[in-house]
């Protein structure tokens, strides 16, 4: 039985299954992100709530971040809610595989993961990781594009998809800044589906309170900041945890052991407001002082919630729009050679290369574009 088209992952900072439960009820996969912090009682309660509300045969599961340390999986397997057998997890998403992990490490992680989960996906940020996951026998991979929140790729979701699609022998899902209209592109590239997260943060079932919702409703996605280098990139909401972000940025510039310093920061108990009413101003101020993983898709959340209200409503909007756009693409073939725009421009393809200062200001570049069949523009810087 194939996995659903949509994987809905809850916010890492909220160990609450509401969004995942709603996704399962809508016929898709609901995933509880176990987050960064060791609160086993709260985690167990959230997993058991998700398990209790999921019907037999439905897809639900958890996301576990290894932080680059594979023994973290072994500790997870010791927890009560990771029990194997009939009470195990239908789906486990493993994130944070070490960048330099050898083939034996990938195989070991998969072997351990299968002791508690029927299906195992792995979240990757590099093409090499995707290929290693495919070779090891994982059931699928999640290509996490640069626009997403938390640990992300250096490449945008669509570029990552193009690079990986032809080289993967297993199903893949894509996560990034995709709205209902643009998501069809990854399906044309062969994706099995997409991951939704921030797009659902303002729906009726969202775990965020009124204080947080009011802030998020004003965002357009540019309010996020990506920290890191080739050792790992991470995207956060730059209006929260400003001092911590600045400190991490300074440590990174000074050559700190990245991303270990970030993991240490995230592992710090962030719940100074746990004893304060969540609706109070004090709790709101406390929350703003810590890091919040957030992707650029938050800029779509207000519009999607206003138009479609619930998780089920947003999912249906994605289904309908993707299907319509795929039909239009097949009928119109907008990028085929010899189309109306190509004929008008005197080119082979209906493609126009936008002018880019200090890139397309040299004749050889423009000549290459023209020889390939598109219309070049010379940018005079």
């Amino acid at each position: 039985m194939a996995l659903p088209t949509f994987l809905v992952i809850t916010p890492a900072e909220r160990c609450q299954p509401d969004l995942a439960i709603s996704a399962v009820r809508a016929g898709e996969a609901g995933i509880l992100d176990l987050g960064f912090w060791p609160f086993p009682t709260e985690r167990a309660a959230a997993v058991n709530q998700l398990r209790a509300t999921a019907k037999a045969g439905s897809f639900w599961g958890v996301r576990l971040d290894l932080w680059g340390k594979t023994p973290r999986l072994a500790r997870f397997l010791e927890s009560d809610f990771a029990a194997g057998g009939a009470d195990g997890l239908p789906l486990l998403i493993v994130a944070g595989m070490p960048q330099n992990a050898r083939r034996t490490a990938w195989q070991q992680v998969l072997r351990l993961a299968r002791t508690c989960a029927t299906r195992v996906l792995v979240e990757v940020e590099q093409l090499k990781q995707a290929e290693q996951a495919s070779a090891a026998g994982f059931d699928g991979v999640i290509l996490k594009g640069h626009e997403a929140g938390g640990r992300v790729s250096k490449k945008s979701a669509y570029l990552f998809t193009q690079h990986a699609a032809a080289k993967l022998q297993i199903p893949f899902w894509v996560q990034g800044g995709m709205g209902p209209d643009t998501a069809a592109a990854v399906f044309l590239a062969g994706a099995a589906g997409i991951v939704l997260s921030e797009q659902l943060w303002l729906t009726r079932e969202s775990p965020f309170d009124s204080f947080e919702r009011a802030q998020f409703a004003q965002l357009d996605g540019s309010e996020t900041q990506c920290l890191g280098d080739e050792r790992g990139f991470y995207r956060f909401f730059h209006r929260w945890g400003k001092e911590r972000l600045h400190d991490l940025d300074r440590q990174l510039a000074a050559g700190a052991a990245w991303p270990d310093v970030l993991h240490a920061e995230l592992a710090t108990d962030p719940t100074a407001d746990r004893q304060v009413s969540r609706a109070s101003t004090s709790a709101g101020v406390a929350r703003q002082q810590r890091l919040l993983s957030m992707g650029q898709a938050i800029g779509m959340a207000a519009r999607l919630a206003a138009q479609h209200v619930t998780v089920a409503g947003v999912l249906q909007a994605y289904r309908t729009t993707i299907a319509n756009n795929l039909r239009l693409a097949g009928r119109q073939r907008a990028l085929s050679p010899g189309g109306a725009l190509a004929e008008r421009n005197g080119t082979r393809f209906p493609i126009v290369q936008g002018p880019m200062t200090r890139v397309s200001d040299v004749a050889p570049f423009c000549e290459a574009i023209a020889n390939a069949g598109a219309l070049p523009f010379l940018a005079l810087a």
Side-chain angles (χ1 to χ4, degrees):
M1 181 176 169
L3 287 170
T5 301
F6 298 95
L7 308 180
V8 172
I9 300 182
T10 64
E13 290 76 12
R14 292 285 190 279
C15 197
Q16 294 173 254
D18 305 73
L19 294 178
I21 290 171
S22 296
V24 173
R25 289 174 174 168
E28 304 296 344
I31 310 299
L32 176 72
D33 193 321
L34 295 180
F36 311 113
W37 311 291
F39 300 139
T41 302
E42 293 180 14
R43 284 171 149 190
V47 173
N48 289 332
Q49 184 182 352
L50 178 55
R51 175 184 281 121
T53 55
K55 295 181 180 179
S58 61
F59 283 102
W60 63 273
V62 300
R63 175 185 180 274
L64 176 69
D65 196 327
L66 302 182
W67 295 358
K69 297 175 174 60
T70 53
R72 185 170 165 81
L73 176 58
R75 291 196 296 273
F76 165 75
L77 294 175
E78 297 172 358
S79 62
D80 293 337
F81 54 87
D87 294 326
L89 305 171
L91 182 60
L92 172 64
I93 296 177
V94 177
M97 279 292 292
Q99 287 194 11
N100 58 352
R102 297 184 178 182
R103 182 175 182 176
T104 52
W106 285 88
Q107 293 171 334
Q108 181 185 28
V109 166
L110 179 59
R111 178 179 56 79
L112 288 173
R114 288 205 188 282
T115 65
C116 75
T118 306
R119 304 283 185 90
V120 184
L121 305 184
V122 61
E123 190 178 283
V124 300
E125 303 81 47
Q126 299 177 351
L127 178 57
K128 179 182 177 181
Q129 291 177 312
E131 292 175 321
Q132 289 173 313
S134 181
F138 280 81
D139 297 303
V141 297
I142 295 173
L143 308 178
K144 196 166 182 185
H146 192 67
E147 308 91 338
R151 184 188 291 100
V152 297
S153 173
K154 183 180 180 180
K155 296 182 175 72
S156 70
Y158 296 106
L159 189 59
F160 198 1
T161 300
Q162 290 178 61
H163 287 178
K167 298 186 177 183
L168 291 178
Q169 305 301 315
I170 55 176
F172 64 92
W173 285 256
V174 184
Q175 183 174 357
M178 286 173 288
D181 271 307
T182 56
V186 298
F187 289 92
L188 285 174
I194 62 173
V195 176
L196 296 181
S197 182
E198 289 87 354
Q199 293 95 328
L200 303 170
W201 281 14
L202 295 178
T203 55
R204 180 184 294 168
E205 302 94 329
S206 169
F208 295 104
D209 61 30
S210 57
F211 173 85
E212 294 161 323
R213 286 170 178 264
Q215 289 209 2
F216 300 163
Q218 303 173 33
L219 307 181
D220 62 15
S222 64
E223 301 85 359
T224 65
Q225 178 180 351
C226 194
L227 294 176
D229 54 26
E230 298 300 331
R231 295 170 292 177
F233 295 91
Y234 292 75
R235 186 175 295 280
F236 297 98
F237 182 32
H238 72 55
R239 293 184 181 177
W240 285 19
K242 289 183 178 180
E243 292 184 7
R244 294 182 174 186
L245 284 173
H246 289 322
D247 184 53
L248 286 170
D249 206 11
R250 286 193 293 268
Q251 292 186 60
L252 179 63
W258 186 265
D260 289 348
V261 292
L262 174 60
H263 292 161
E265 172 69 30
L266 291 174
T268 302
D269 186 343
T271 50
D273 60 320
R274 286 170 67 83
Q275 304 303 319
V276 185
S277 168
R278 294 193 61 77
S280 71
T281 302
S282 297
V285 171
R287 287 194 292 280
Q288 291 185 78
Q289 294 175 352
R290 64 178 189 251
L291 298 176
L292 174 66
S293 300
M294 177 186 284
Q296 294 176 345
I298 191 63
M300 308 173 191
R303 175 177 54 82
L304 289 171
Q307 292 179 352
H308 308 294
V309 185
T310 64
V311 169
V314 173
L315 288 171
Q316 185 55 46
Y318 269 85
R319 292 190 197 103
T320 301
T321 307
I322 289 170
N324 289 340
N325 286 351
L326 289 175
R327 280 193 294 270
L328 285 173
R331 186 168 69 246
Q332 296 177 350
R333 302 183 64 83
L335 297 179
S336 296
L341 181 61
E343 183 178 352
R344 188 175 304 118
N345 290 337
T347 59
R348 183 186 178 198
F349 296 105
I351 297 175
V352 176
Q353 167 256 311
M356 298 172 284
T357 304
R358 293 187 297 278
V359 176
S360 61
D361 58 351
V362 291
F365 181 89
C366 293
E367 183 180 23
I369 297 293
N371 289 340
L375 178 65
F377 274 83
L378 185 68
L380 300 178

